[in-house]
Amino acid sequence: MLKHRIIPTMLWKDVGLVKGRGFDSSRRVGSVLPSIKVYNIREVDELILLDITATRQGRIPPLDEVELYASECFAPLTIGGGIASVEDIRLLLLAGADKVCINTAAYDDPAMIQKAADRFGAQCLVACIDTRRLPDGSYSCFSDCGTVDRGVSPVDWARTMVERGAGEILITNIECDGTMEGYDLELIGMVSRAVPVPVIASGGAGGYEDFYQALTTAGASACAAASIFHFTQQTPLEAKRYLARHGVAVRDANIGAIS
């Protein structure tokens, strides 16, 4: 049986980590390496580390720092930010990233996803889809840290990314980001039903029940979250214990045999 994952997200800006609401990430919440070490102790399933200034600055995350973080991280590590070519992906994988997360460049050059999948395999490619709900109730995809409307629906774009070779979809409603008021279950459900690959729910988790609803009601394969772990006493391990008690298959050695 597929085991569902709880994945802390870390937003990396210059010398440290930040968090905010609606992609306005201005509040400092610590440093990267100490946070990774804390998550190691808490035995997380995976970690996502996004360099949120890299795209605007026309660069990829610093390779020496990625190498350091990967060497200290005991869980699979996904790196994102500024990735614009197959060569960028190659360098980040060589530096120790287990997966790469791609957003803006995929709109500009969808063929890059296909080339990367052919070269490295779909399992290391996460297509990051950021969306907003429009006044008419529909959704549209946004790139460039949520500032550029690409005029395509998240369902259509998710299908395109999977057809091109993406192995996972990370889906976020920008308006829910940082609110801790719950995931956008409608959006997550639409995307989860549309593609055959794992979908990672992101944006809005405020309690363990939110994880449960995203995984069971909306059909996500994993839940990514940041604020809940930065600003409350809730932890990834306790989240998985909650899910296990409610019949959701999760992975963790400390919980025992959970199926």
Side-chain angles (χ1 to χ4, degrees):
M1 181 181 292
L2 177 68
K3 302 297 176 68
H4 297 87
R5 295 162 289 155
I6 300 298
I7 308 173
T9 300
M10 298 181 291
L11 302 181
W12 177 14
K13 183 178 181 181
D14 302 324
V15 297
L17 299 177
V18 295
K19 193 66 188 85
R21 290 173 63 125
F23 284 19
D24 179 18
S25 299
S26 56
R27 181 176 177 182
R28 293 286 178 182
V29 293
S31 301
V32 179
L33 191 55
S35 295
I36 288 175
K37 291 181 176 180
V38 168
Y39 285 131
N40 282 339
I41 295 171
R42 293 176 176 173
E43 300 185 36
V44 297
D45 295 320
E46 298 182 21
L47 286 174
I48 296 174
L49 178 61
L50 304 177
D51 185 334
I52 63 172
T53 59
T55 296
R56 185 168 61 252
Q57 295 175 357
R59 59 170 178 80
I60 61 174
L63 295 174
D64 56 342
E65 294 187 53
V66 170
E67 185 173 2
L68 171 62
Y69 301 149
S71 69
E72 294 289 341
C73 185
F74 299 160
L77 179 62
T78 298
I79 298 289
I83 299 169
S85 68
V86 173
E87 176 63 10
D88 290 344
I89 296 170
R90 185 185 74 86
L91 291 172
L92 288 167
L93 294 175
L94 282 176
D98 296 284
K99 304 176 188 178
V100 294
C101 190
I102 303 169
N103 184 317
T104 300
Y107 295 98
D108 299 329
D109 183 15
M112 180 187 73
I113 302 297
Q114 183 70 62
K115 294 173 184 176
D118 291 342
R119 184 168 179 182
F120 307 116
Q123 77 287 341
C124 68
L125 299 176
V126 181
C128 177
I129 302 179
D130 300 327
T131 73
R132 296 181 189 273
R133 190 188 286 269
L134 303 180
D136 65 2
S138 66
Y139 292 92
S140 187
C141 296
F142 282 71
S143 67
D144 299 81
C145 297
T147 62
V148 177
D149 186 351
R150 291 292 178 158
V152 60
S153 79
V155 167
D156 289 343
W157 190 241
R159 287 174 173 154
T160 297
M161 289 292 92
V162 172
E163 289 168 1
R164 291 286 186 171
E168 286 186 288
I169 301 294
L170 175 66
I171 182 72
T172 306
N173 181 327
I174 296 168
E175 283 113 349
C176 293
D177 174 65
T179 63
M180 300 205 310
E181 295 174 356
Y183 293 110
D184 185 335
L185 299 180
E186 179 184 353
L187 171 66
I188 296 162
M190 289 167 46
V191 174
S192 296
R193 291 188 296 270
V195 296
V197 302
V199 171
I200 306 170
S202 175
Y208 301 146
E209 180 66 13
D210 293 329
F211 297 138
Y212 178 80
Q213 293 297 329
L215 297 172
T216 59
T217 301
S221 297
C223 291
S227 294
I228 185 176
F229 301 134
H230 287 310
F231 305 133
T232 80
Q233 297 301 310
Q234 298 173 93
T235 69
L237 181 57
E238 287 301 322
K240 288 189 285 185
R241 287 176 173 158
Y242 177 92
L243 293 170
R245 289 194 299 270
H246 288 77
V248 178
V250 294
R251 301 183 301 183
D252 196 281
N254 283 343
I255 298 176
I258 297 171
S259 61

